[in-house]
Amino acid sequence: MVEHVREHSLIGQPDHGRIRPLKRAEIYRVLDRMTEGLPKAGRILLVPPDITRLYSYAGVITSYLYKKLSVDALVRILPATGTHRPMTPGERCRFFGRDIPDHAFLIHDWCRDTVDIGTVPGAYCAQVSAGRYTGDICAQVNHHIVDQSFDLILSIGQVVPHEVVGMANYSKNLFVGLGGRAMINKSHMLSAICGLEKALGTRDCPARVLYDYAQQHFIDGKLPVVFLQTVTTRDGEELHLNGLYIGDSRVPFEKACELAQELNIVHVERRAKKVVTYLDPEELKTTWVGNKGVYRTRMIVADGGDLIILAPGVRAFGENEEMDAMTRKFGYKGRDYVLDLFNKGAFGDDKIMSAAHLIQGSSDGRFTITYCTKPELMSKEEIESVGYQWADYNEVSKRYDPHTLKAVSYTHLRA
């Protein structure tokens, strides 16, 4: 464990009604102050997100810390990939830069690399889910977190609206990003049963409370973890870091949530009949992660409306063969359909996360979802086989040019 780390908060100051983006020099100064206040460590593990958080600014922070800390310590980087595929050398280069050697990177395998560190009781799960989920959930993390391989663990990530945990990062970076099959499967199903609309953009939704229980009981005071959490925005192709929050308690996460809810949620007065969303081809290559285009827009699509997903990089359903096969087998065909299969045991005890994903990726017939892919990457027949409509990206993008459409980030219908 580490002694309590002094909290650091760096927030862009208001400027003509907007939060001024932080300057690179300001960011480096606060990182320098943080490292000066850390206990001396000979072995340090950095835990950033993967390429699906390309716009988190975590790549810049990880690169800076690696160069600074590796002068005096052995430093390794373990991307919090969760169920995603490992990062390719090209993705690592784009995200972290060219200066970090390949041997510095470790790979997380969510099925083989985790150990059990405790159990969240079924009674607690029932309490947080209003009785919808009543089973025990085993908390698991990558063995590098708990086997004393490292003297210090720096968890680096982005606080941003999230469909499962309400607001991403903090304990989620460990229990999902570096989590195991039992925790990921069951916590995602608990969240799906409770409903995406009750989670997205909400700080203390059921899954968040679940992960934080595990954090408080099995991590805090026992393991040497410090969290570095970012809040970002984009202006066209330009990425801005608007806030950086550092500490080993929940408080920096709570502060980051306040800023992210202000900057990363756009409220609208009424639902739209047609919504167009774009999936960056470098960041989102499967519907497993590309369905963020569904999760984060569904609250503003009108009944009977159309959601058009421009997906030039999508070439598969799942991030791994198992989840790809489950999606192809069952499809995005609605909550009731999937819950019936779940109750009949179709997903077993170790694949129920795919059931949660299929529930969240369906509109339940409330609006149409059209995936616009490049035919050579994902065919019309494949898309339609899982319950979506299909259109040719090359044609649709002529009408809805992703380079000229105005981005509005995550959206909520105004209460």
Side-chain angles (χ1 to χ4, degrees), residues 28 56 92 96 130 161 217 253 292 354 384:
Y28 291 162
S56 62
R92 293 201 304 259
F96 302 110
H217 286 77
F253 167 70
K292 295 177 189 297
S354 60
E384 292 182 346

Side-chain angles (χ1 to χ4, degrees), residues 262-411:
E262 176 185 348
L263 298 182
N264 298 147
I265 298 175
V266 176
H267 295 272
V268 298
E269 299 293 342
R270 58 183 176 82
R271 290 191 170 99
K273 282 291 186 181
K274 181 174 290 186
V275 175
V276 179
T277 185
Y278 173 69
L279 308 183
D280 187 307
E282 295 298 319
E283 182 184 9
L284 305 169
K285 298 179 175 68
T286 67
T287 63
W288 188 264
V289 291
N291 273 356
K292 295 177 189 297
V294 179
Y295 313 146
R296 296 173 184 178
T297 59
R298 63 182 296 145
M299 294 175 72
I300 63 160
V301 183
D303 292 355
D306 299 301
L307 173 60
I308 298 172
I309 302 177
L310 303 176
V314 166
R315 61 197 67 204
F317 293 115
E319 287 281 295
N320 55 61
E321 291 182 3
E322 177 184 297
M323 297 308 172
D324 193 86
M326 297 296 281
T327 304
R328 292 176 187 274
K329 182 176 181 179
F330 297 118
Y332 301 98
K333 298 176 182 177
R335 176 187 178 88
D336 292 342
Y337 169 77
V338 176
L339 279 178
D340 182 59
L341 290 170
F342 169 72
N343 291 329
K344 291 176 179 177
F347 299 91
D349 192 47
D350 62 347
K351 297 182 179 67
I352 60 175
M353 182 184 56
S354 60
H357 170 75
L358 297 177
I359 288 172
Q360 293 169 330
S362 168
S363 72
D364 288 320
R366 193 171 68 78
F367 54 88
T368 64
I369 300 173
T370 302
Y371 251 90
C372 307
T373 64
K374 293 183 176 180
E376 65 272 21
L377 297 182
M378 201 75 170
S379 70
K380 176 179 186 290
E381 291 74 21
E382 288 176 292
I383 292 294
E384 292 182 346
S385 73
V386 299
Y388 291 144
Q389 295 185 16
W390 179 86
D392 188 330
Y393 172 82
N394 300 307
E395 296 300 322
V396 177
S397 61
K398 294 176 183 177
R399 181 175 183 184
Y400 303 109
D401 185 345
H403 302 294
T404 59
L405 290 174
K406 181 181 178 181
V408 293
S409 191
Y410 312 104
T411 47

Side-chain angles (χ1 to χ4, degrees), residues 49-55 84 158 283-284 289 292 319:
D50 64 8
I51 195 69
T52 62
R53 287 284 187 268
L54 178 62
Y55 303 107
H84 303 171
Q158 181 184 17
E283 182 184 9
L284 305 169
V289 291
K292 295 177 189 297
E319 287 281 295

Side-chain angles (χ1 to χ4, degrees), residues 24 39 45 58 80 111 143 153 195 207 210-211 214-215 228 247 310 390 404:
R24 191 69 65 93
L45 182 66
C111 295
H143 67 90
I153 300 160
L210 170 73
Y211 297 140
Q215 175 75 28
L228 295 82
L310 303 176
W390 179 86
T404 59

Side-chain angles (χ1 to χ4, degrees), residues 200-217:
L200 185 62
T202 302
R203 192 189 73 187
D204 296 321
C205 68
R208 163 58 58 197
V209 177
L210 170 73
Y211 297 140
D212 286 357
Y213 177 99
Q215 175 75 28
Q216 293 156 13
H217 286 77

